[in-house]
Amino acid sequence: KKKLKITGRELLSVPMQVFGLDQLQVLEMSPERESCLRYRMELLPQEIGHLRNLTCLYVDSNNLKKIPAEIGTLSRLERLTLSNNSLSSLPAEMGALQRLHSLHLANNSLTELPAPLCQLRSLTFLDVSDNKIGSIPSSIRHLEKLETLLLLFNSLESLPEDVCLLRNLHTLWLGNNHLRSLPAAFGELVNLDWGYNYCSCNFEGNPLESPPPEVCSRGPEGIRVYFSSLRRI
């Protein structure tokens, strides 16, 4: 089998027989999103490294407290979902997942954006919403292919200038942080959609009154329209 889904409200661990399925490509151990369930698995075994052909690993909505270093041996992994767990850190070995393009980490207990994530050059989607992240490392500039970055409900007080180097960003959600200012070069993120009906950049819930003049002078007209509407809320 190349795809396996393991379900059960009482799921506590991965059956060891799974790690003998060396041709497995997709492994899912998460409840259905609409079910609002949460499984009870606290540990992803180090034997996960035996599944060298995995391209997708879904383990969101469990109770994971730690990810083993062996995750870094899954060189073919393209999609990893770890949202809704109890993770406070990630192993440095995750930086070896150079085919990974989608990473979900929302609703954990991360206090910083782990440095290994900034080594994932193929990453196009990163969701670290609803954590306790207080700063973004300047090394984020290495994520040159990143198109979607979700950072809602964190503790950010500022953005580094290096965020403005992510020229492929189409969606940047920063709502419900503590942002008071924006980098002067923010307007150079020209692929963000500042349209009237849909805005791919979100600032609601921040003590941010207006962008610096440099933003409005470099960015599109939609930036001024957006911040004018924000002040009226």
Side-chain angles (χ1 to χ4, degrees), residues 6-209:
I6 303 174
T7 63
R9 186 189 298 266
E10 301 302 318
L11 181 65
L12 295 174
S13 62
V14 186
M16 295 306 291
Q17 299 94 317
V18 170
F19 303 118
L21 303 175
D22 56 4
Q23 297 302 309
L24 197 62
Q25 295 179 357
V26 179
L27 177 57
E28 183 174 352
M29 296 176 289
S30 303
E32 299 294 337
R33 291 175 183 246
E34 62 272 14
S35 70
C36 298
L37 291 177
R38 193 160 185 152
Y39 292 168
R40 298 168 57 194
M41 184 166 56
E42 295 187 359
L43 177 66
L44 193 63
Q46 63 184 24
E47 286 83 3
I48 193 70
H50 295 172
L51 302 178
R52 299 296 177 87
N53 286 301
L54 273 187
T55 59
C56 299
L57 177 59
Y58 304 94
V59 281
D60 40 308
S61 297
N62 278 275
N63 194 28
L64 294 176
K65 294 179 170 60
K66 184 178 180 181
I67 301 299
E70 286 76 10
I71 194 93
T73 65
L74 303 180
S75 60
R76 298 188 179 185
L77 202 62
E78 298 176 359
R79 183 177 176 87
L80 176 60
T81 67
L82 295 168
S83 298
N84 302 315
N85 279 288
S86 301
L87 299 172
S88 59
S89 63
L90 297 173
E93 288 78 5
M94 280 189 64
L97 301 177
Q98 289 304 309
R99 292 192 185 183
L100 197 68
H101 61 73
S102 181
L103 179 58
H104 298 241
L105 291 166
N107 195 21
N108 276 284
S109 299
L110 299 173
T111 56
E112 60 182 0
L113 197 62
L117 301 191
C118 298
Q119 303 171 25
L120 303 177
R121 302 298 177 88
S122 295
L123 208 61
T124 61
F125 181 96
L126 176 58
D127 183 1
V128 284
S129 302
D130 205 2
N131 279 279
K132 303 173 184 176
I133 295 172
S135 63
I136 301 175
S138 61
S139 54
I140 195 172
R141 65 184 183 276
H142 297 310
L143 300 181
E144 54 192 32
K145 294 184 179 180
L146 196 64
E147 297 179 359
T148 300
L149 177 58
L150 308 183
L151 283 157
L152 299 90
F153 293 97
N154 276 289
S155 302
L156 295 173
E157 295 185 356
S158 64
L159 294 178
E161 289 280 347
D162 300 85
V163 168
C164 304
L165 298 176
L166 302 176
R167 301 297 168 80
N168 285 309
L169 271 185
H170 286 78
T171 303
L172 175 61
W173 286 3
L174 294 159
N176 294 92
N177 278 279
H178 307 302
L179 295 173
R180 294 186 176 276
S181 63
L182 293 175
F186 191 84
E188 296 180 5
L189 295 174
V190 295
N191 285 317
L192 294 177
D193 178 10
W194 295 93
Y196 289 92
N197 297 322
Y198 170 75
C199 186
S200 64
C201 195
N202 174 284
F203 290 101
E204 279 84 355
N206 284 282
L208 184 66
E209 295 184 358

Side-chain angles (χ1 to χ4, degrees), residues 202-206 208 225-233:
N202 174 284
F203 290 101
E204 279 84 355
N206 284 282
L208 184 66
V225 174
Y226 174 78
F227 278 98
S228 295
S229 65
L230 191 64
R231 285 196 295 272
R232 291 195 296 268
I233 296 175

